[in-house]
Amino acid sequence: MFLSSMYNNIIPSVLAFWIQTTVTGLEVLINVNSTAVEFGGAIEMNCSTTCPKPTINVEHKPGVNFIRTKGITWYHDYFPSVQKWDLTLACSVKCLDPQPKDVKEYVTVYNREISITLLPEVLEINRTYSLECIGPRVYPNNKLILTWLRGSEILQRNSTGEPGSVDEDKRLRNVFNFIASRSDDGQEYTCLAEVDLGSQTTKSITNSSITLQTYAFMDQPRILDKRPKEVKQEVTLTCEVSNVYPAEKMRVRWFQNGVELNSDITRPNSNTVRITAALTPQESGLMEIVCMADFEKHPSIPSKNNSAFIEVYAFSSPEIQVPTSQEGNLVNITCRVLNVSGDLELRLKNGNDILVNGSSSTGLTISHTVEAQAKLDGQQYICEAELKLQDQSMTSPVIKQQVGTLHVLYQTTARRLAAKIIGLSSVVIIAGELLFITIIYCIKQNKKK
C-alpha cells in the first residue's frame, strides 16, 4: 500500500531513471529524467518516500540553481541550466527512526565538443596514417566511450577506467592507425561519442565525420622515344604515367624548350595516362623536352616530371648522277650530300663493292669514272650516306641510299644506223641515174620519128 502511494506521488515526466532504498519498511526513491545531461542543459529530479509523515531533506552544492515543488512525501527539483560538472543528487529522509535514510544519484555531465585532427587533403595509397579523435569533456571521465566507424563498421573503441578530477578538463582520445587504400577514396570515417548509462545502454551525444580522398602517384613520367629526330620532319612525342589513381584526375603535359605543346591524352587502362604531341623540329642541335604530370586540383601533391635532350639532326637525301654514254666513252658518276649536321660517311658502291668513299661534317661530293661498255648497260650504282650522331648510345647510325642506273649506247647500234643512212642514199642515187637514162632514151626516140 505504501509503495503504491509513493509511485502516485512521482511526477510522470521524470519516471525515466530511479534509485530506490528500502530500510526496515521505509522506502526512499530518487528518480531523474536522465542520468546524463549536457552542460547548460536542463534536468529534473524527484525524491519520494513511503513514510506517511517524513522529514525530507534535499540539498545541492552551492551555486546550483533549481526550482522546487513539493508535497508531503515528495520533493521535485527542476534545474533549468546545469552549470556544474559535478552533479550529485542526494535525498535524505527521516521517518520514525531518527536515523536518516540517504539516497544519491550521480548524473554524468557532458558537452558536445569533439574534434578530428586534420589529415592531408589527399592520402597516398599504401602509406600509414593516423585518425585521431578528441572527445568532449565528460565527468566522470570513465562514462565516455569514443568509437571509430568506417561507414557503419565499428573499427575501434576506447574508454578509460579512471573517473578523473572534476576540476580537470582531461579529454579522451581515440587514435586509429590505418594504411590508405583505393577503397578509402570517398569513404566516410566517423568518430562517435557516447555516454555509458549503465545496464549495457549508451547515449549518443555527438559525432564528427571526415571523408577521405586517396591517390597513387608512385612512378615518374616515362618518355617512350628518345631517339634522335630529323629536322623539319614531323615526329610524335609519347609520354606515359603508370600506377596512377585516380587516372581521370591526373594532368599530363608536354613542354618543348619551356613552351607547352598541343597534345592528346588517352588512358589505355584504369591506372595509366598517356599523352602524345606532334612536333616538327625546325633547327638542328639538342632539343629539350619535358613531360610533366600533376593533380591539378590537388596542388599539395608534388608534381613529377621527366626531361630529355633529344638530338635533332640535318641530313639531306643523297643524290647520284649517272650520265648516259656511248660505248667506249668515259662516264663520271657523282654521289653527293648537300647538308648534314654530324659525321658523314659517303660511299659510292657497285653492289657491295665500295668504289670510292669520303667523310665530312658538312656537305660532300665524291665521284668515280668508268668506261662505258656494253656489259655495263643497266648496271646499278649506289650512293650511300651514313650519318653518325652524337648520341651513340640511343641509336645506330642513320643510313640513306640513292640508286642510279648506267645506260650505254652500243657501237653496233651506231654502225647499223650509219649503214641504213648510206644504204638509203645509194638507192636514191641509183633511182636518179635510171630516171636520167630513161629520159635520154625517150628524147632520142622522138628525134628518129
Side-chain angles (χ1 to χ4, degrees), residues 143-352:
K143 294 296 183 179
L144 176 63
I145 302 170
L146 282 183
T147 304
W148 270 115
L149 300 100
R150 186 179 190 268
S152 59
E153 176 191 3
I154 295 175
L155 299 175
Q156 181 173 283
R157 277 196 170 103
N158 192 26
S159 61
T160 179
E162 299 297 327
S165 170
V166 67
D167 297 322
E168 184 181 8
D169 184 8
K170 188 174 182 180
R171 305 294 177 100
L172 181 65
R173 298 171 183 260
N174 189 349
V175 179
F176 175 67
N177 297 315
F178 69 103
I179 299 175
S181 66
R182 183 177 293 194
S183 63
D184 284 321
D185 192 39
Q187 179 64 56
E188 184 179 70
Y189 283 75
T190 301
C191 181
L192 173 65
E194 299 171 286
V195 170
D196 184 4
L197 301 178
S199 302
Q200 297 183 339
T201 60
T202 60
K203 175 183 179 180
S204 175
I205 58 174
T206 187
N207 66 78
S208 182
S209 297
I210 182 173
T211 300
L212 304 185
Q213 289 183 283
T214 62
Y215 77 95
F217 188 13
M218 297 179 288
D219 301 333
Q220 294 279 354
R222 187 163 57 97
I223 298 175
L224 300 187
D225 185 6
K226 300 180 182 180
R227 293 176 298 177
K229 313 299 180 186
E230 187 171 355
V231 71
K232 297 186 179 178
Q233 298 294 316
E234 184 175 283
V235 296
T236 299
L237 302 176
T238 304
C239 176
E240 194 171 271
V241 186
S242 303
N243 300 317
V244 61
Y245 176 84
E248 65 274 9
K249 294 183 180 180
M250 169 151 281
R251 178 178 62 171
V252 186
R253 293 174 291 169
W254 267 120
F255 292 87
Q256 189 258 320
N257 293 335
V259 178
E260 184 174 354
L261 303 177
N262 292 327
S263 55
D264 295 314
I265 292 181
T266 58
R267 295 176 178 85
N269 53 56
S270 61
N271 62 354
T272 302
V273 181
R274 181 179 296 162
I275 182 172
T276 58
L279 176 65
T280 303
Q282 298 298 317
E283 297 179 353
S284 59
L286 291 178
M287 174 182 69
E288 183 183 19
I289 57 172
V290 179
C291 180
M292 178 179 292
D294 63 4
F295 286 99
E296 182 179 9
K297 294 184 178 180
H298 300 295
S300 61
I301 302 175
S303 63
K304 295 182 180 180
N305 61 69
N306 194 0
S307 63
F309 285 93
I310 294 181
E311 183 177 357
V312 179
Y313 61 89
F315 189 10
S316 61
S317 296
E319 300 175 5
I320 186 169
Q321 293 180 348
V322 186
T324 299
S325 181
Q326 188 173 338
E327 185 178 14
N329 292 345
L330 295 178
V331 181
N332 187 39
I333 304 172
T334 61
C335 168
R336 68 176 183 177
V337 172
L338 297 178
N339 184 28
V340 292
S341 57
D343 296 329
L344 173 67
E345 284 286 337
L346 192 59
R347 296 179 287 268
L348 182 60
K349 301 168 64 177
N350 181 1
N352 292 326

Side-chain angles (χ1 to χ4, degrees), residues 38-39 85 109-113 135-138 171 205-206:
E38 183 177 2
F39 190 89
W85 287 101
V109 182
Y110 63 86
N111 65 22
R112 299 179 186 271
E113 298 171 0
R137 183 175 180 179
V138 174
R171 305 294 177 100
I205 58 174
T206 187

Side-chain angles (χ1 to χ4, degrees), residues 420-435:
K420 288 180 180 179
I421 295 174
I422 294 172
L424 180 60
S425 300
S426 299
V427 172
V428 173
I429 293 172
I430 294 172
E433 289 179 350
L434 289 175
L435 179 60

Side-chain angles (χ1 to χ4, degrees), residues 115-135:
S115 63
I116 297 175
T117 55
L118 292 178
L119 288 172
E121 179 188 14
V122 283
L123 310 183
E124 187 175 359
I125 291 173
N126 293 329
R127 278 192 60 186
T128 300
Y129 294 91
S130 295
L131 278 171
E132 182 180 21
C133 176
I134 303 175

Side-chain angles (χ1 to χ4, degrees), residues 363-382:
L364 178 63
T365 300
I366 58 176
S367 61
H368 179 69
T369 301
V370 298
E371 182 181 352
Q373 301 177 25
K375 65 179 181 179
L376 297 180
D377 185 41
Q379 178 69 56
Q380 289 188 331
Y381 294 88
I382 303 170

